[in-house]
C-alpha cells in the first residue's frame, strides 16, 4: 500500500467493473476516499463495500446526477480532488448503417458524460485550489477503426475535451489528462473479443491472441495496468503534466499497419 493519494477525495465514474473498479481499488489502497458511481447498483455497491467507499447509482449523461455525485463527495468527505471520467459504452457499426439512436447514445455517454462530470467537479476543485481529472480515451482516440464509427468519434472528441479543459482550468491548478488504453480484459474488452471469436469461428483464447497479435507486447492489458497509469496522472507525481494523452496500449500506437503483413 502506497500513500500517494493520502487525504485525497476521488470520484470514479463507471467504477463497478473493469478499469473503473481497478482504479477505485488502487486509489483506496493509496489512501484516497473514493466515490464510485455507475448505472448498475450491485457492482458499484460491491466495490464501495470492498474499499470502504461511497456508492451512488446513476447515469453519467444526466447533469443532475453528476451534480448530485459531486455534492455527495463534498458532503461525505469534505471536498473533491480527483475525477476519473471512465464510464463508457461501445457500439459497433459503420456510418451508413449505425442507427442514429445508437450514435447519439454513445456520444451522450462517452462525450457528454465526460463534459458533465468534469464541469460538476471543477467548482469543488477550485475551492481546494486545484485538482486532477483523468479522462478515459482509447486507442480509438488515436486511430480510425473498421465498423466502429460512434465509439471512435466519441473517443477522438474526448481528446479535444481533455486539451480544452487543460487550457481553460490549468491557471486554477486543475490538471486534465487522458489515458488511451488498448485491449483490456474487462467486460467491454471481452465482449468485443468474443465478437471477434464468433466472427472468425475461433475460441475466445484464440480471439484474444488474434486481437493482440500485432501489439509489440503481444497481449491485452489487465485493468490494473491501466489503473496504475491513471493513478500516476491523478497524483502529485504528475504535478507538471496537463493536457497529455498517454497511450497505454502495449505499443499498438507505434506499429505501422501497412507493414504488419511482413510480420505474419
Ligand atoms: P466496462 O464495461 O467494464 O466499464 C464501463 C463502466 O461504465 C461499466 O461499469 C458501466 O456500467 C459504466 N457505464 C456505462 N454507461 C454508463 C452511464 N451512462 N452512466 C454511468 N456509468 C455507465 O469497460 P471498461 O473496459 O472498464 O471501460 C472503461 C473505460 O475504458 C471506457 O470509457 C472505455 O471506453 C475505455 N476503454 C476500454 C478499453 C478495453 O479494451 N476494455 C480500451 C480502451 C478504452
Amino acid at each position: 500500500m502506497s500513500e500517494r493519494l493520502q487525504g485525497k477525495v476521488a470520484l470514479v465514474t463507471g467504477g463497478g467493473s473493469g478499469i473503473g473498479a481497478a482504479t477505485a481499488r488502487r486509489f483506496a489502497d493509496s489512501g484516497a476516499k473514493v466515490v464510485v458511481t455507475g448505472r448498475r447498483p450491485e457492482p458499484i455497491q460491491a466495490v464501495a463495500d470492498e474499499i470502504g467507499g461511497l456508492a451512488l447509482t446513476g447515469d453519467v449523461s444526466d447533469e443532475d446526477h453528476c451534480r448530485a455525485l459531486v455534492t455527495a463527495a463534498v458532503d461525505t468527505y469534505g471536498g473533491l480532488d480527483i475525477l476519473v471520467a471512465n464510464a463508457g459504452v461501445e457500439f459497433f457499426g459503420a456510418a451508413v448503417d449505425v442507427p442514429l439512436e445508437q450514435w447519439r447514445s454513445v456520444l451522450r455517454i462517452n462525450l457528454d458524460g465526460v463534459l458533465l462530470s468534469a464541469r460538476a467537479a471543477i467548482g469543488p476543485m477550485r475551492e481546494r485550489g486545484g485538482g486532477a481529472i483523468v479522462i478515459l480515451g482509447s486507442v480509438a482516440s488515436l486511430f480510425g477503426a473498421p465498423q466502429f464509427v460512434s465509439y471512435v468519434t466519441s473517443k477522438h472528441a474526448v481528446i479535444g475535451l481533455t486539451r480544452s479543459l487543460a487550457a481553460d482550468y490549468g491557471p486554477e491548478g486543475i490538471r486534465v489528462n487522458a489515458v488511451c488504453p488498448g485491449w483490456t480484459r474487462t467486460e467491454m474488452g471481452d465482449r468485443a473479443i468474443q465478437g471477434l471469436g464468433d466472427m472468425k469461428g475461433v475460441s475466445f483464447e484464440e480471439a484474444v491472441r488474434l486481437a493482440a497479435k500485432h501489439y509489440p507486447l503481444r497481449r491485452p492489458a489487465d485493468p490494473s495496468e491501466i489503473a496504475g497509469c491513471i493513478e500516476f496522472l491523478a497524483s502529485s507525481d504528475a504535478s507538471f503534466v496537463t493536457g497529455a494523452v498517454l497511450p497505454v496500449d502495449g505499443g499498438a500506437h507505434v506499429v505501422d499497419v501497412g507493414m504488419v503483413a511482413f510480420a505474419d
Side-chain angles (χ1 to χ4, degrees):
M1 174 167 165
S2 86
E3 298 197 344
R4 216 179 196 184
L5 301 181
Q6 200 63 45
K8 301 292 183 190
V9 180
L11 170 58
V12 180
T13 71
S17 60
I19 294 167
T23 302
R25 291 187 182 104
R26 182 146 186 144
F27 279 17
D29 278 351
S30 295
K33 302 283 185 208
V34 186
V35 180
V36 189
T37 175
R39 277 181 312 188
R40 298 170 298 170
E42 296 82 12
I44 56 165
Q45 192 59 56
V47 172
D49 288 348
E50 181 190 328
I51 64 173
L54 178 68
L56 289 166
T57 311
D59 182 340
V60 80
S61 66
D62 172 355
E63 185 155 28
D64 290 341
H65 168 62
C66 290
R67 292 198 184 288
L69 282 174
V70 168
T71 302
V74 173
D75 289 350
T76 309
Y77 297 126
L80 183 67
D81 305 289
I82 298 166
L83 166 69
V84 182
N86 164 79
V89 291
E90 86 284 30
F91 188 81
F92 289 92
V96 169
D97 310 308
V98 71
L100 196 51
E101 212 175 287
Q102 288 296 343
W103 161 271
R104 287 184 176 141
S105 164
V106 171
L107 285 166
R108 204 175 57 243
I109 296 168
N110 292 6
L111 179 58
D112 295 3
V114 176
L115 173 77
L116 296 175
S117 53
R119 70 181 186 189
I122 281 166
M125 287 181 180
R126 275 182 176 139
E127 282 170 27
R128 300 274 251 206
I133 300 176
V134 183
I135 293 172
L136 267 290
S138 166
V139 278
S141 301
L142 312 173
F143 306 118
Q147 299 291 328
F148 218 16
V149 66
S150 325
Y151 187 81
V152 166
T153 303
S154 70
K155 290 297 182 180
H156 272 63
V158 296
I159 300 306
L161 181 53
T162 300
R163 292 175 174 146
S164 300
L165 292 167
D168 284 335
Y169 300 104
E172 296 176 84
I174 299 172
R175 298 182 300 102
V176 188
N177 294 290
V179 294
C180 293
W183 282 123
T184 306
R185 295 298 308 274
T186 65
E187 290 178 20
M188 180 189 288
D190 283 1
R191 249 192 326 265
I193 288 178
Q194 183 66 54
L196 175 66
D198 294 346
M199 194 172 80
K200 300 273 184 196
V202 299
S203 67
F204 182 82
E205 290 67 31
E206 177 60 7
V208 170
R209 196 191 67 77
L210 285 176
K213 185 177 168 193
H214 295 298
Y215 279 24
L217 294 183
R218 300 288 193 271
R219 65 174 178 85
D222 183 83
S224 62
E225 295 176 284
I226 313 300
C229 295
I230 293 172
E231 186 194 15
F232 162 69
L233 289 170
S235 77
S236 60
D237 288 346
S239 55
F240 203 55
V241 183
T242 195
V245 176
L246 178 64
V248 189
D249 63 355
H253 72 287
V254 302
V255 176
D256 175 353
V257 292
M259 297 296 284
V260 293
F262 290 88
D264 283 337

